[in-house]
Amino acid sequence: MKALSFFTAASLTGIGSAQPAKQQNSTIYNPILPGFNPDPSCVFVKEWDNTFFCATSTFLAFPGIPIHASKDLQNFRLIGHAFSRPEQLPAFGNITGQQQGWYAPTLRYHNKRFWIINSCVGAATGYWSTSDPYNNDAWTNVTPTEIPGYDPDLFWDTDGTVYSAFAKTVQNDPFTTEIHQVNISMPSGNTTTDRFLWNGTAVQPPEGPHMMLKDGYHYLLLAEGGTAQAHQVTIGRGRSAQGPFEANPANPILTAYNTSQYFQTVGHADLFQDAAGNWWGVALATRSGPEYETWPMGRETVLYPAKWEKGQWPVLGGPVKGKMSGPLPPANRNIRGTGAFIKDPDYYKFSPGSSIPSHFSYWRFPKTENYAISPKGHPNTLRLLPSRSNLTGDATALPTDGITFIGRRQTDTLFTYSVDVDFSPSSVGDESGVTLFLTQDYHADLGIVRLNKTGTYLRFHAEGPGAPTDTVLPIPQKWNKQVLTLQIQAYNTTHFSFSAGPKAGRMQQIATVPATLVSNGFTGSFVGVHATNNGNTKSNTPSYISNWVYQGQGQYIGNGEFYPSNGKKGGAGF
Ligand SMILES: *[C@@H]1O[C@H](CO)[C@@H](O)[C@H](O)[C@H]1NC(C)=O
Ligand SMILES: *[C@@H]1O[C@H](CO)[C@@H](O)[C@H](O)[C@H]1NC(C)=O
Ligand SMILES: *[C@@H]1O[C@H](CO)[C@@H](O)[C@H](O)[C@H]1NC(C)=O
Ligand SMILES: *[C@@H]1O[C@H](CO)[C@@H](O)[C@H](O)[C@H]1NC(C)=O
Ligand SMILES: *[C@@H]1O[C@H](CO)[C@@H](O)[C@H](O)[C@H]1NC(C)=O
Ligand SMILES: *[C@@H]1O[C@H](CO)[C@@H](O)[C@H](O)[C@H]1NC(C)=O
Ligand SMILES: *[C@@H]1O[C@H](CO)[C@@H](O)[C@H](O)[C@H]1NC(C)=O
Ligand SMILES: *[C@@H]1O[C@H](CO)[C@@H](O)[C@H](O)[C@H]1NC(C)=O
Ligand SMILES: *[C@@H]1O[C@H](CO)[C@@H](O)[C@H](O)[C@H]1NC(C)=O
């Protein structure tokens, strides 16, 4: 890749300046899990080498529920996924709604096992566990539970009772909920009839409960106000896991509502302690500013320090910002596994014997035969075979049909993503290219498409309300029969460009699209590749993808300020 120059030496001045060694506080860079990583639930586990583990929501992305691990709360490595095998919950494959799938997980460590409980909206609610979070295959299948709601929590009381608090929709109104509770009996997964637990502070809808026992009180942490601008963190406590709960007079204890912070929608928190006894909180946040118009990365995971004195209410250290101060554990990137650190760039050649990087995602279950690394005669490529359905699909498309798509999260405000595409479309409908993908209802694509009997074209196509019209260009004669480079770039905080050129040659911008197109709903943007025959099922033309490059070029944190994409240490790095 040609070196990019978003960061001049001048713009780098002042970022990444290390704190004096003796000072206990250091700079927290948010988000800690940039990109589509909502609804964080984290635990600190001393027995697992003093490591923090976090789980986040994935909706229809597969594999689902990434587990990121860290020892310093700044460098997070993807160590696995809690949902990586269709047999764990086959019904995931039949979900129809684009805003359904895995909602907010709760991650807990109990009795030497890591546990997840979660609602897979459109399929089932259940819990499952592992003795080894570094090994995807060690996660059990999902044990379904009769929990009539969403955002279930998992809490073991001192008498051994397992409780799950969750949000239950009442009055036939999806935006009015109450927090209810069941007892779960393990290992059957049988539950008691649910009972009312708490309404929080009556800022509808209360959801995302997490129960914690401290100094003789059962605390119930909630998300209220819905996951948009009114999102807020509230807490109550009582002497029993079954309530009643009194509300903290200081509620909401964390929110960006009614503020001008760049990090908005702060809510859906979880709290945990580090080895030194410091308390920390995570939450989801959206880098949108109060205008809440441009937020292509969706809901991201942020960190903030907390104080929780004996017998007192916890005090959360807001407002959440891109740079904060707190007593972070010492920097440490010594995390087991081969998965990517979330802030790392991608340089993938798909060389023989390599496998698909674990941070690449499909949309629903993949048809694995449609993806092959270095197939015979095509070393250093990822071969895509087309799906009948294109990225949008049509009324006859079934969830189980599968779309040929593979992507990685947009994890940086500014980035350049490119791949080389070797594709010789021979049948009308054949298409392969790059996509900026939020859901099947919102995406923007630049592809090589056989549009009709005579011609193959470069086509930019976007889907979603307000999408620009297609740009269709004949492939320039001198590019013909060459491998093409297709590129997507977030060239400023509000716009993406789509460009093409002959491999290693000069790129030509084909189209731009505002990031508002992919600022919507519960998910966040991916960049990736796709292939389809647009319904012409007689065609199975392969495309060969190589030189997959994703480089972050800056994290915007508001007020005109950026910090380098790969964190404070490495600078921009290229
Ligand atoms: C999913 O739908 C297919 C039909 O498309 C059906 O055969 C299968 O049983 C369904 N699977 C589940 C787990 O519901
Ligand atoms: C769980 O519930 C089922 C159905 O009601 C019942 O047959 C089964 O005996 C229960 N299992 C346990 C361990 O209670
Ligand atoms: C749930 O467990 C608690 C503690 O064991 C018990 O007091 C309560 O009766 C149980 N609830 C139901 C509905 O069985
Ligand atoms: C909880 O909220 C619901 C919905 O607003 C309301 O109907 C119910 O009366 C409330 N319950 C309590 C105990 O406040
Ligand atoms: C935000 O402003 C609205 C409207 O004035 C008010 O009802 C609400 O209580 C405020 N919430 C917070 C958390 O500031
Ligand atoms: C550390 O930062 C916190 C804010 O998170 C501040 O209240 C505290 O005074 C700082 N401590 C030191 C030693 O600078
Ligand atoms: C093929 O499609 C292109 C782009 O829409 C159009 O300009 C051209 O006239 C079409 N050719 C035929 C033969 O339909
Ligand atoms: C980004 O560039 C577009 C033009 O391509 C421009 O309209 C927009 O205002 C720019 N955004 C910012 C934040 O400068
Ligand atoms: C996607 O496929 C459907 C048929 O399955 C077709 O009607 C539609 O035009 C295709 N979209 C694009 C952008 O080619």
Side-chain angles (χ1 to χ4, degrees):
M1 280 302 295
K2 210 167 151 287
L4 292 138
S5 52
F6 277 102
F7 285 103
T8 60
S11 71
L12 276 167
T13 309
I15 29 191
S17 56
Q19 301 290 320
K22 273 195 209 124
Q23 191 171 330
Q24 198 201 351
N25 277 345
S26 50
T27 305
I28 300 165
Y29 289 84
N30 273 320
I32 53 167
L33 299 179
F36 168 42
N37 277 295
D39 309 312
S41 180
C42 304
V43 290
F44 170 72
V45 186
K46 200 171 186 319
E47 299 91 302
W48 280 83
D49 202 12
N50 288 306
T51 305
F52 303 91
F53 298 89
C54 294
T56 48
S57 303
T58 41
F59 297 82
L60 284 185
F62 183 86
I65 315 173
I67 308 294
H68 285 94
S70 177
K71 287 181 181 159
D72 59 12
L73 292 170
Q74 290 290 283
N75 293 288
F76 278 87
R77 172 172 243 167
L78 179 64
I79 61 152
H81 287 90
F83 183 64
S84 66
R85 308 183 310 274
E87 64 268 27
Q88 286 179 282
L89 186 68
F92 174 87
N94 288 31
I95 295 171
T96 51
Q98 292 291 316
Q99 302 290 331
Q100 297 185 319
W102 290 115
Y103 277 40
T106 293
L107 174 66
R108 291 293 178 256
Y109 182 72
H110 175 78
N111 202 12
K112 297 191 166 24
R113 295 184 73 83
F114 292 80
W115 299 79
I116 294 268
I117 190 167
N118 205 348
S119 285
C120 190
V121 176
T125 293
Y127 66 83
W128 65 112
S129 69
T130 185
S131 59
D132 179 4
Y134 294 89
N135 175 5
N136 282 351
D137 291 337
W139 284 97
T140 63
N141 291 346
V142 176
T143 299
T145 53
E146 288 296 326
I147 288 179
Y150 62 96
D151 288 2
D153 180 53
L154 203 49
F155 173 76
W156 281 264
D157 208 356
T158 44
D159 66 359
T161 308
V162 188
Y163 291 98
S164 180
F166 57 92
K168 183 178 186 176
T169 299
V170 293
Q171 301 170 346
N172 288 326
D173 171 1
F175 303 107
T176 305
T177 62
E178 296 172 348
I179 303 299
H180 281 223
Q181 185 184 55
V182 292
N183 301 9
I184 303 180
S185 112
M186 292 186 175
S188 67
N190 285 0
T191 54
T192 58
T193 305
D194 65 295
R195 48 188 291 278
F196 172 84
L197 192 61
W198 198 39
N199 266 346
T201 63
V203 179
Q204 285 294 341
E207 50 191 18
H210 288 309
M211 186 171 278
M212 282 160 236
L213 179 62
K214 188 174 183 294
D215 310 324
Y217 287 104
H218 284 83
Y219 286 85
L220 194 60
L221 188 67
L222 297 187
E224 294 194 59
T227 197
Q229 292 103 311
H231 212 200
Q232 46 200 278
V233 181
T234 60
I235 196 164
R237 69 182 183 185
R239 291 294 184 179
S240 157
Q242 299 170 64
F245 295 94
E246 56 154 333
N248 182 348
N251 282 330
I253 52 175
L254 187 69
T255 186
Y257 191 26
N258 298 335
T259 73
S260 59
Q261 295 295 326
Y262 186 59
F263 287 73
Q264 288 282 318
T265 78
V266 175
H268 204 112
D270 202 359
L271 300 174
F272 50 91
Q273 243 174 326
D274 67 18
N278 298 303
W279 280 91
W280 296 95
V282 286
L284 70 80
T286 308
R287 280 185 281 172
S288 64
E291 317 80 41
Y292 198 56
E293 286 164 359
T294 298
W295 40 284
M297 290 177 282
R299 300 170 304 154
E300 309 176 280
T301 292
V302 293
L303 178 80
Y304 47 88
K307 287 254 182 302
W308 202 348
E309 306 295 346
K310 193 169 183 199
Q312 305 297 304
W313 294 102
V315 177
L316 309 189
V320 168
K321 294 174 183 284
K323 284 187 195 173
M324 299 173 71
S325 184
L328 288 174
N332 185 345
R333 280 172 66 94
N334 180 22
I335 306 291
R336 277 171 55 188
T338 55
F341 280 87
I342 196 162
K343 294 175 183 174
D344 282 356
D346 287 349
Y347 301 97
Y348 291 106
K349 297 240 176 269
F350 306 116
S351 50
S354 66
S355 45
I356 288 176
S358 57
H359 65 289
F360 285 20
S361 295
Y362 307 97
W363 198 244
R364 313 175 192 275
F365 292 140
K367 294 220 179 302
T368 50
E369 65 273 22
N370 289 344
Y371 309 84
I373 286 190
S374 285
K376 199 157 184 275
H378 295 270
N380 303 310
T381 67
L382 170 65
R383 184 188 65 200
L384 301 180
L385 296 178
S387 48
R388 180 197 77 85
S389 177
N390 54 37
L391 288 175
T392 306
D394 61 16
T396 67
L398 295 173
T400 45
D401 288 348
I403 50 172
T404 298
F405 158 80
I406 186 163
R408 61 106 73 214
R409 286 165 177 75
Q410 178 193 351
T411 48
D412 305 270
T413 314
L414 305 180
F415 71 87
T416 301
Y417 167 74
S418 66
V419 291
D420 295 338
V421 182
D422 182 357
F423 183 48
S424 306
S426 49
S427 303
V428 173
D430 282 354
E431 173 176 5
S432 181
V434 293
T435 179
L436 169 71
F437 182 90
L438 185 72
T439 66
Q440 291 188 253
D441 299 329
Y442 300 89
H443 54 93
D445 325 316
L446 176 62
I448 302 162
V449 194
R450 181 84 176 197
L451 277 182
N452 50 37
K453 283 215 169 73
T454 47
T456 295
Y457 294 83
L458 270 175
R459 179 176 67 178
F460 169 80
H461 172 80
E463 201 73 42
T469 52
D470 287 5
T471 303
V472 180
L473 298 172
I475 294 179
Q477 199 56 46
K478 59 183 181 204
W479 298 3
N480 241 335
K481 308 265 186 270
Q482 292 190 48
V483 174
L484 300 188
T485 300
L486 301 180
Q487 175 184 285
I488 304 174
Q489 187 173 61
Y491 62 93
N492 68 16
T493 57
T494 58
H495 284 71
F496 296 93
S497 64
F498 290 73
S499 307
K503 182 180 172 177
R506 179 187 281 273
M507 300 296 284
Q508 181 181 320
Q509 185 172 298
I510 310 293
T512 65
V513 70
T516 50
L517 180 83
V518 286
S519 303
N520 187 279
F522 297 148
T523 62
S525 297
F526 290 87
V527 287
V529 293
H530 75 111
T532 178
N533 55 33
N534 282 299
N536 178 6
T537 51
K538 288 196 196 98
S539 174
N540 201 30
T541 311
S543 57
Y544 299 93
I545 309 298
S546 55
N547 296 320
W548 169 297
V549 175
Y550 172 96
Q551 294 176 319
Q553 284 140 355
Q555 295 290 11
Y556 187 53
I557 55 172
N559 290 320
E561 196 179 354
F562 287 84
Y563 67 78
S565 279
N566 49 359
K568 54 183 167 174
K569 287 274 153 54
F574 44 86

